Amino acid sequence: METPGLVVHGEAAPFSTALRSLLNNPQYSDVCFVVGQERQEVFAHRCLLACRCNFFQRLLGPKLGPGMPSPVVLSSVPADAFLAVLEFLYANSVRLHRHSVLEVLTAAVEYGLEELRELCLEFVVKVLDVELVCEALQVAVTFGLGPLQERCIAFIEAHTQEALRTRGFLELSAPALLPLLRSDKLCVDEAELVLAARSWARVGAVSRACR
């Protein structure tokens, strides 16, 4: 009877480095994305994306045919966020930044990348501050990320006056604003809360009029 083989492992770091070198590298690539409002070209490899992510498996299926297909346009995701997603898919690690983590989180949710989503959520909690919290709350409400929503509301309750003065507060959607207005733990008097709500309503009205 043949004895079972033994699985042995090479060094992980050189393997990861080699795969990372393929990131946005036109050499050997067989798919080109045009991403973001800036329409930046990003090169990738269909087989790697398809085996790592069901979203890309569906997107890059047989319908594209052999050879180099026409560029795949993904205008809703910023280039930096898309490159971060690809970095995770290629190397199983990613460098996150405070200024773009919510966009990476949004892409991770939309592409069904649960592990990347959890990594982004952990990072957001670590860097959460007054300037970021309302934007994070909006993302949490939009995608039903309950724990992040609770964390953001608790942060705003503790730093209400500063949070109400941010641009992120003025840009909250009505569903994101509602749980804040219902909270009885906000550290602000009622008059100031009313003024903030009026400012939010004015910005919303201007935004709707400009559409």
Side-chain angles (χ1 to χ4, degrees):
M1 181 177 178
E2 184 178 353
T3 57
L6 175 67
V7 176
V8 296
H9 298 276
E11 294 185 26
F15 177 74
S16 177
T17 300
L19 284 179
R20 195 183 294 272
S21 71
L22 297 175
L23 179 63
N24 197 21
N25 186 341
Q27 187 175 27
Y28 308 124
S29 69
D30 56 4
V31 63
C32 176
F33 295 92
V34 175
V35 298
Q37 298 301 314
E38 61 272 43
R39 297 185 62 80
Q40 179 175 329
E41 286 190 338
V42 176
F43 298 93
H45 306 79
R46 292 168 64 180
C47 63
L48 194 151
L49 299 188
C51 74
R52 289 278 283 152
C53 177
N54 289 335
F55 171 84
F56 287 110
Q57 187 179 76
R58 294 189 299 270
L59 183 66
L60 305 175
K63 65 181 181 180
L64 290 182
M68 191 70 169
S70 300
V72 179
V73 179
L74 296 173
S75 57
S76 63
V77 55
D80 287 349
F82 188 74
L83 285 169
V85 169
L86 293 194
E87 181 183 358
F88 177 77
L89 294 178
Y90 276 71
N92 208 39
S93 63
V94 60
R95 183 180 296 276
L96 297 173
H97 301 275
R98 179 191 169 281
H99 70 273
S100 60
V101 63
L102 293 177
E103 294 166 338
V104 180
L105 173 58
T106 296
V109 172
E110 292 179 340
Y111 299 165
L113 297 170
E114 295 186 7
E115 187 177 6
L116 179 57
R117 181 193 67 183
E118 293 305 312
L119 292 173
C120 289
L121 288 172
E122 291 175 10
F123 184 82
V124 170
V125 170
K126 289 179 181 178
V127 301
L128 200 62
D129 60 16
V130 169
E131 293 300 322
L132 187 65
V133 67
C134 288
E135 295 177 33
L137 175 60
Q138 183 61 64
V139 171
V141 171
T142 299
F143 294 106
L145 304 173
L148 178 59
Q149 179 177 334
E150 293 174 5
R151 190 65 177 258
C152 290
I153 290 176
F155 187 97
I156 294 172
E157 287 172 343
H159 305 83
T160 309
Q161 288 188 331
E162 299 93 329
L164 295 183
R165 299 189 185 107
T166 64
R167 184 71 189 178
F169 171 79
L170 296 176
E171 294 177 348
L172 285 174
S173 66
L177 179 64
L178 190 58
L180 286 180
L181 297 181
R182 287 175 173 170
S183 173
D184 57 1
K185 298 179 181 179
L186 297 176
C187 296
V188 65
D189 60 54
E190 186 175 348
E192 189 168 354
L193 182 60
V194 170
L195 288 175
R198 287 177 176 172
S199 296
W200 171 86
R202 282 196 299 271
V203 170
V206 172
S207 177
R208 288 190 295 272
C210 293
R211 290 175 186 172

